[in-house]
Amino acid sequence: MYKRILRPLLFQIDPEKVHHLTFDLVRFFFKIPGISLLFKLLYRVKDKRLERKVFGITFPNPVGLAAGFDKDARLFNELSCMGFGFVEIGTLTPKPQPGNDKPRLFRLREDEAIINRMGFNNEGVEAAVARLKNRKEKVIIGGNIGKNKVTSNEDAVKDYEYSFEVLFDYVDYFVVNVSSPNTPNLRALQDKEPLTQLLRTLKERNFKKSSPKPILLKIAPDLTNEQLDDVISILKDVKIEGIIATNTTISRSGLKTDQAVLDQIGTLGGLSGKPLHKRSVEVVEYLVQKSGNAFPVIAVGGIHSAEDAMEMFRAGAALVQLYTGFIYEGPALVSAINKKLLKEK
């Protein structure tokens, strides 16, 4: 029903407007008695064989929702009813910020892809915490954190520390986002020295807690093998619990979309969706093999089918996340992946 009826209608509307409209509609319908149960029956696959224990957390199934969809923790209760094993909120910053100028979200239908240059638009970490206090569903929540646009790279660590402290009691794991292409100079924090300092600072804060939370690093797909080697070295040295591979790409190679359309959109922004899949698989496989499977990898990037997810698992991923595939395929994709996993077993 989603692909045949709802998606064609929704795709007639501006992507950012339809995102907010969808949120409003989902919240409205989930207030109707029995709707949450109906979604659980349709999309939630419950089976002990799907459980995964990763960095100390037992996930009911290995299919999660990536950060960027529910930035401000507005819909995590409803999304958990759609079969996800975990939901990652954010990216959150200490202060609210509007993000980049509109238009900043574009569909590439021929490629089943999206270009976004949102720029960490969010209401701030404290607004998200106010909503997380109303967690109704038993869903695992990840907190994806970044720096404000106005914060210099020299002071970036303070932003990550602030969000870490505010979110700590309300999420199950953290993700350090230094790989978005939409905040000026943010990706420079992936360089060895600043990244080591940032992760070590957060690790020290975490260590002082009575019950530390897993800290993961989210990286770009555009890193060279030498840069990936640096990431592996840093994770082993600082003892960060895991990695998310990958964020959006700045590459536009191999797209089916007409070049005139791409020129109109412009070169800024990160590409997600099907064209990213091959590179994401390569990065996951490289990290797992080169590190000797030293840390869990959560795979994200171009997963539009159950077979796409299986490629990630075969490459060594412990868990997978959806974003653009969820927008193009709908919630049936979540159950399809879980059913495929059970069949493969």
Side-chain angles (χ1 to χ4, degrees):
M1 186 179 77
Y2 175 80
K3 290 179 71 175
R4 291 180 181 177
I5 301 172
L6 287 177
R7 190 179 77 179
L9 292 173
L10 294 173
F11 275 26
Q12 297 302 311
I13 307 170
D14 171 81
E16 189 165 353
K17 287 180 180 177
V18 82
H19 183 82
H20 296 299
L21 173 64
T22 303
F23 269 48
D24 291 339
L25 289 173
V26 170
R27 282 199 298 268
F28 172 77
F29 280 111
F30 269 76
K31 290 177 182 176
I32 300 172
I35 288 295
S36 61
L37 177 60
L38 176 62
F39 269 75
K40 289 175 186 177
L41 290 172
L42 285 172
Y43 302 117
R44 185 177 284 180
V45 181
K46 291 193 75 173
D47 194 303
K48 279 282 185 182
R49 292 173 296 169
L50 290 172
E51 288 185 0
R52 300 284 191 280
K53 189 166 185 178
V54 185
F55 38 80
I57 299 173
T58 301
F59 293 82
N61 72 65
V63 185
L65 181 67
F69 190 85
D70 190 13
K71 288 176 181 284
D72 291 304
R74 290 181 172 275
L75 212 64
F76 60 91
N77 285 310
E78 293 84 352
L79 287 164
S80 73
C81 298
M82 298 182 189
F84 288 107
F86 58 108
V87 173
E88 194 171 302
I89 62 164
T91 297
L92 294 167
T93 56
K95 298 175 182 177
Q97 61 181 26
N100 295 324
D101 294 337
K102 298 178 183 179
R104 55 193 183 180
L105 193 62
F106 310 90
R107 297 186 198 98
L108 306 184
R109 296 193 198 185
E110 289 181 60
D111 292 288
E112 295 185 57
I114 289 173
I115 290 175
N116 95 82
R117 47 173 178 261
M118 303 300 288
F120 288 173
N121 59 307
N122 72 107
E123 295 179 358
V125 66
E126 290 173 8
V129 164
R131 298 186 184 101
L132 288 170
K133 290 178 180 178
N134 297 316
R135 195 188 303 195
K136 296 172 185 175
E137 296 291 334
K138 191 178 179 182
V139 55
I140 293 168
I141 301 287
N144 188 302
I145 56 177
K147 79 174 187 72
N148 280 112
K149 184 176 181 178
V150 297
T151 303
S152 67
N153 279 10
E154 290 74 24
D155 293 325
V157 173
K158 295 176 183 177
D159 275 16
Y160 288 93
E161 285 183 285
Y162 183 86
S163 295
F164 178 82
E165 291 294 343
V166 174
L167 268 179
F168 189 85
D169 292 331
Y170 305 98
V171 298
D172 299 290
Y173 68 89
F174 284 93
V175 179
V176 178
N177 188 351
V178 291
S179 52
S180 169
N182 301 318
T183 296
N185 301 317
L186 181 75
R187 284 191 169 193
L189 293 175
Q190 291 181 119
D191 292 343
K192 192 167 187 178
E193 187 176 336
L195 184 57
T196 301
Q197 180 192 356
L198 171 58
L199 295 178
R200 183 165 282 136
T201 301
L202 291 176
K203 189 72 177 179
E204 287 170 357
R205 276 188 173 267
N206 196 35
F207 187 70
K208 293 176 183 177
K209 304 290 186 181
S210 57
S211 298
K213 303 280 176 74
I215 299 175
L216 316 180
L217 173 68
K218 188 165 188 175
I219 63 167
D222 308 305
L223 299 180
T224 64
N225 284 351
E226 290 75 17
Q227 289 172 312
L228 291 174
D229 289 341
D230 284 343
V231 168
I232 291 169
S233 175
I234 292 167
L235 261 69
K236 287 182 174 181
D237 180 40
V238 184
K239 294 182 173 57
I240 293 299
E241 280 76 15
I243 198 162
I244 296 183
T246 61
N247 211 320
T248 57
T249 179
I250 57 175
S251 172
R252 301 290 187 268
S253 63
L255 295 178
K256 300 174 186 174
T257 301
D258 189 272
Q259 187 60 47
V261 175
L262 296 174
D263 290 341
Q264 188 175 15
I265 293 171
T267 57
L268 298 177
L271 175 78
S272 62
K274 274 196 172 182
L276 181 59
H277 183 67
K278 182 182 176 185
R279 177 57 184 161
S280 293
V281 172
E282 289 173 352
V283 173
V284 170
E285 192 168 44
Y286 187 91
L287 290 169
V288 171
Q289 292 185 1
K290 197 68 184 288
S291 72
N293 207 16
F295 42 77
V297 177
I298 298 179
V300 57
I303 300 174
H304 285 239
S305 68
E307 182 53 37
D308 289 339
M310 295 308 297
E311 279 190 69
M312 292 296 197
F313 288 124
R314 286 193 288 266
L319 307 168
V320 297
Q321 289 180 323
L322 311 178
Y323 183 89
T324 305
F326 179 59
I327 292 171
Y328 275 89
E329 303 298 325
L333 177 58
V334 185
S335 58
I337 295 170
N338 284 318
K339 288 174 181 176
K340 178 77 170 176
L341 280 167
L342 291 175
K343 187 178 180 181
E344 293 283 320
K345 282 181 177 294

